[in-house]
Amino acid sequence: MQRGELLMALGLVAGALLLVREALRLPIAWTSAGPGPGFFPFWLAVGVTIVAAVILVRAWRAGRRRDEPFVPPGAWKPLAIVFFPMVAVVALIHYLGIYLGGALYLAGYMRLVGRHRWAQVAVVSVALPLVLFLIFERWFLMPMPKGLALEWFLYGR
Amino acid sequence: MSLLGIFHDLLYGIGVAASPTNLFVAAVGLLLGTAIGVLPGLGGTNGIALLLPLTFRLQPTSAIILLSSVYWGAIFGGAITSILFNIPGEPWSVATTFDGHPLAKQGKPGIALAAAFTSSFIGAFISIVLFTFFAPPLAEVALKFGPPENFAVLLLAFATIAGLEGGDPLKSVLMTLLGLLLGTVGFDIVSGSPRMTFDVVALQSGINFIVIAIGLFGLGEILLTVEEGLRLEGVRARLSFRDVWETWKLFPRYVWTIIRGTALGFWIGVLPGTGATPASFMSYGLARQFSPRGHRFGTGEVEGVVAPETAAHAAGIGALLPMITLGIPGSPTAAVMLAGFFIWGLNPGPLLFREQREFVWGLIGSMYLANVIGVLIVLTMVPAFAAINRIPFGILAPLIVILSSVGAYAANNQVLDLWIMLASGLAGYLFKKLGYPLAPLVVALVLGDMTEQALRQSLIMGQGSPAIFLHRPIALTFMAAALALVALPALRALRRQARGRRGAAPAPAPAPRG
């Protein structure tokens, strides 16, 4: 946990410095229209840097005590089982769209993690995207990401 | 405004809320909200964030009735899983598990549920009455505010969140600043130039608050749930009308607990940025101290269910008061609703009362109706709601992820937002584990634009000098209060550290979840 605290504070300081640099690309001083557009983000980023640095120093001074690990030993596997499919489904939605990608993700998850029977897998992973399609595209006329594959199939481009 | 005028407006509002469309919308919202409250990993905040994109096509009045009904439903629903499964469906129902689940295990789930719903309803109803009579005068006062006062009020809001969160004050401050900073991404309103985008075109429209909220609250919460090991062992839900009657006969004994819980909940709810969670804990703690049976709390006392539930629902109502009158959300959930105001083309703030009479009074009227309908729904439908928890995790987890993706994409129609959602999910998990509170970041992100506007306008009014804040008594008072709220916990932490250095090693207190 202690190392996690250090790493997080370090990451926050580094990220905040990047944001300070980004804010400096705009005028931060007084302009004819009042404070410049960079004024507010600049001082916020400076504030984040200072607070994160204080947290960093404090965590450093607390030293490396023996404490509980960041993730409890038995929790790595269930975490991985949930997190990596989460990454995968966003990638799937990016390329295959929410209907196709969602169906694949649901089917894969139900079969591999939930160990459901194939019949159940088929029914749920077809029904859910279909319901979503009806709700969003039909009733609310809100286009959902269809992915490059389905776009080409539906609209030929 | 005269008392008679308020009654007149209230009757008008109930009339608006009782129109067939709005009644239907309220019933749908209550059902959805209760379902969302029952689902682990989905709370009122995420439920409203997910549904917000669907309200684009509704009238603003119907839209706010839908969202607020979801909120009331989620507060009712949160108690169900706490009592039956010992899984708080919502952070504010954690305290309900202390006595609710033992009661259920003793074979009295019906009594625990009836007590939770009834006290929730009573807390809500008294709060709504308070709301009706306090909101208009507060709005009148707020109308006289200029940019410096607005900035000071916003500052007070941030300070309250940072100060009352209970965790590490430095981390609360950091999260507030970070939220404001995220809010500056995109076009600058005054100069029109893109800011903080790192030259990514898709970021020019800004980082949508919904995307971040779904990631932090939805996905982050799933990861935490998984890590703690998901156990879904429930008690079979039965609720007979005899149980309800038996419970109601107990209620006269709890008058003081109910009054205390409601007053506390309403007041904490009105304070910006706090909401139902701390209110429920404080009410439970006070009831344990004052009740003659306090020593038996934790073993299945009905009073231990009544105390947190009245406070949670009263706070839920109170949290909407500063949102409607001042444009400041009193809780993360209210913050999501506030984001909706902008989408529907409304400007939150004191002018709402004058210019959007139908919207404001329709919402107030719907609170009366929706809570009566809500308590009837939950009392009759407990077995059906409990069935949601029998959905196996192998289906529930991917379902939540897919619904989150739909909600995040619908906000802006950008696939990039899905990656931002994923990143904030991971960040939410890490932040929460390390005791960085999430609520300040979310509230600051929503209020960022308003804060910057108020600050810049104030500085222009003062010709570049921040001394303008010193010349305005109301603004100065608010700012002093804000400073005190931030400084007090920081001073306390310093003293603790100083004492700790002499004795044992200092240990920053872990922030409470939720």
Side-chain angles (χ1 to χ4, degrees):
Chain A
M1 210 54 124
Q2 201 64 42
R3 200 187 317 174
E5 180 85 17
L6 267 176
L7 284 176
M8 174 61 93
L10 202 64
L12 282 169
V13 171
L17 283 174
L18 272 179
L19 291 169
V20 170
R21 207 189 62 168
E22 183 69 14
L24 278 173
R25 289 170 50 180
L26 294 159
I28 62 162
W30 192 260
T31 66
S32 55
F39 163 78
F40 197 57
F42 171 75
W43 287 107
L44 286 173
V46 168
V48 174
T49 314
I50 293 171
V51 178
V54 173
I55 294 177
L56 179 67
V57 169
R58 197 182 57 182
W60 183 263
R61 289 232 308 243
R64 280 276 203 88
R65 285 177 284 121
R66 288 185 71 84
D67 58 359
E68 76 263 45
F70 190 77
V71 174
W76 277 110
K77 204 184 142 200
L79 268 179
I81 285 176
V82 171
F83 181 69
F84 289 110
M86 250 184 217
V87 181
V89 75
V90 171
L92 277 175
I93 293 173
H94 202 148
Y95 290 104
L96 296 178
I98 205 138
Y99 304 114
L100 214 56
L104 277 176
Y105 167 66
L106 201 56
Y109 203 94
M110 280 180 72
R111 183 65 202 163
L112 297 176
V113 179
R115 307 212 178 279
H116 291 275
R117 275 179 286 125
W118 277 112
Q120 275 181 321
V121 172
V123 170
V124 175
S125 56
V126 169
L128 183 85
L130 204 65
V131 170
L132 283 182
F133 184 84
L134 289 177
I135 293 178
F136 288 100
E137 314 274 335
R138 272 287 142 77
W139 298 332
F140 284 95
L141 299 174
M142 280 167 58
M144 282 285 124
K146 290 180 201 59
L148 304 172
L150 197 63
E151 294 254 315
W152 179 82
F153 179 76
L154 283 177
Y155 310 114
R157 60 182 151 94
Chain B
M1 196 183 283
S2 72
L3 214 59
L4 207 66
I6 291 179
F7 273 117
H8 181 257
D9 283 334
L10 179 62
L11 281 180
Y12 164 73
I14 291 179
V16 171
S19 81
T21 320
N22 288 342
L23 269 185
F24 175 73
V25 161
V28 169
L30 283 162
L31 284 172
L32 280 172
T34 316
I36 285 165
V38 169
L39 283 169
L42 266 189
T45 314
N46 344 91
I48 289 174
L50 286 175
L51 285 174
L52 196 51
L54 294 182
T55 62
F56 289 136
R57 271 153 231 281
L58 291 175
Q59 289 285 320
T61 311
S62 305
I64 189 73
I65 290 178
L66 176 72
L67 294 190
S68 60
S69 300
V70 169
Y71 189 26
W72 316 139
I75 296 180
F76 280 124
I80 299 177
T81 42
S82 307
I83 290 170
L84 298 180
F85 306 98
N86 208 18
I87 300 172
E90 302 281 346
W92 57 68
S93 37
V94 174
T96 310
T97 61
F98 299 161
D99 280 279
H101 193 61
L103 266 173
K105 277 200 297 202
Q106 290 161 20
K108 291 183 262 183
I111 293 195
L113 287 170
F117 296 147
T118 313
S119 39
S120 220
F121 171 72
I122 297 175
F125 208 85
I126 302 176
S127 251
I128 299 167
V129 176
L130 291 174
F131 187 106
T132 313
F133 294 97
F134 273 113
L138 201 60
E140 289 288 314
V141 174
L143 263 178
K144 302 194 176 79
F145 284 13
E149 283 78 18
N150 283 337
F151 180 73
V153 169
L154 287 163
L155 216 57
L156 182 63
F158 297 135
T160 332
I161 313 165
L164 284 182
E165 189 76 21
D168 185 344
L170 272 181
K171 288 176 177 170
S172 302
V173 171
L174 185 126
M175 293 303 266
T176 310
L177 294 175
L178 208 58
L180 287 170
L181 200 50
L182 280 175
T184 64
V185 175
F187 286 111
D188 169 34
I189 318 163
V190 179
S191 69
S193 50
R195 299 189 292 179
M196 310 304 284
T197 58
F198 292 93
D199 295 326
V200 177
V201 177
L203 282 182
Q204 284 182 357
S205 51
I207 293 181
N208 196 305
F209 150 80
I210 298 172
V211 177
I212 302 279
I214 290 179
L216 286 179
F217 290 116
L219 301 188
E221 198 62 34
I222 296 180
L223 292 174
L224 281 167
T225 315
V226 168
E227 185 193 288
E228 283 159 12
L230 203 77
R231 278 183 303 278
L232 290 164
E233 295 161 25
V235 180
R236 191 166 282 280
R238 272 177 297 114
L239 185 67
S240 66
F241 289 100
R242 247 190 65 208
D243 283 339
V244 178
W245 183 240
E246 290 289 310
T247 316
W248 284 358
K249 279 201 295 198
L250 290 172
F251 265 67
R253 282 187 222 169
Y254 306 139
V255 171
W256 283 111
T257 302
I258 291 169
I259 291 177
R260 198 189 312 115
T262 308
L264 189 78
F266 185 75
W267 184 70
I268 293 184
V270 169
L271 287 179
T274 46
T277 312
S280 65
F281 280 113
M282 283 169 73
S283 175
Y284 183 85
L286 284 176
R288 190 170 53 187
Q289 273 181 15
F290 286 111
S291 165
R293 295 169 66 85
H295 59 284
R296 292 185 46 85
F297 269 42
T299 59
E301 277 294 309
V302 175
E303 200 172 356
V305 177
V306 172
E309 284 293 319
T310 40
H313 217 142
I317 305 271
L320 296 190
L321 192 130
M323 179 187 85
I324 288 285
T325 52
L326 304 170
I328 293 170
S331 69
T333 315
V336 189
M337 283 191 211
L338 194 73
F341 282 41
F342 296 108
I343 294 172
W344 308 321
L346 298 174
N347 266 324
L351 278 176
L352 266 187
F353 263 90
R354 276 199 194 154
E355 291 170 358
Q356 303 288 339
R357 195 162 161 261
E358 185 197 334
F359 178 82
V360 170
W361 287 102
L363 169 65
I364 296 177
S366 87
M367 288 187 195
Y368 283 88
L369 296 183
N371 275 293
V372 176
I373 303 172
V375 73
L376 293 178
I377 289 182
V378 286
L379 281 175
T380 46
M381 289 192 58
V382 177
F385 286 128
I388 299 176
N389 262 321
R390 284 191 216 119
I391 299 178
F393 189 69
I395 301 178
L396 193 59
L399 195 69
I400 296 176
V401 174
I402 290 177
L403 290 179
S404 299
S405 309
V406 168
Y409 179 83
N412 259 346
N413 292 328
Q414 288 185 154
V415 182
L416 176 76
D417 284 343
L418 295 181
W419 294 103
I420 296 180
M421 168 193 79
L422 192 65
S424 15
L426 188 61
Y429 166 75
L430 296 174
F431 276 142
K432 229 169 183 183
K433 285 219 68 168
L434 291 169
Y436 288 83
L438 301 180
L441 183 133
V442 172
V443 173
L445 177 54
V446 170
L447 297 177
D449 273 347
M450 233 192 270
T451 312
E452 184 180 2
Q453 288 255 53
L455 176 62
R456 279 162 87 169
Q457 283 167 1
S458 307
L459 286 177
I460 291 170
M461 278 170 74
Q463 272 117 38
S465 156
I468 174 132
F469 293 111
L470 301 177
H471 300 313
R472 319 256 306 197
I474 300 181
L476 192 65
T477 317
F478 279 134
M479 287 178 103
L483 198 69
L485 276 172
V486 178
L488 281 180
L491 282 179
R492 230 179 289 141
L494 272 179
R495 213 170 53 200
R496 209 171 37 228
Q497 254 174 357
R499 208 181 303 142
R501 209 163 288 137
R502 263 177 272 138
R513 286 188 52 188

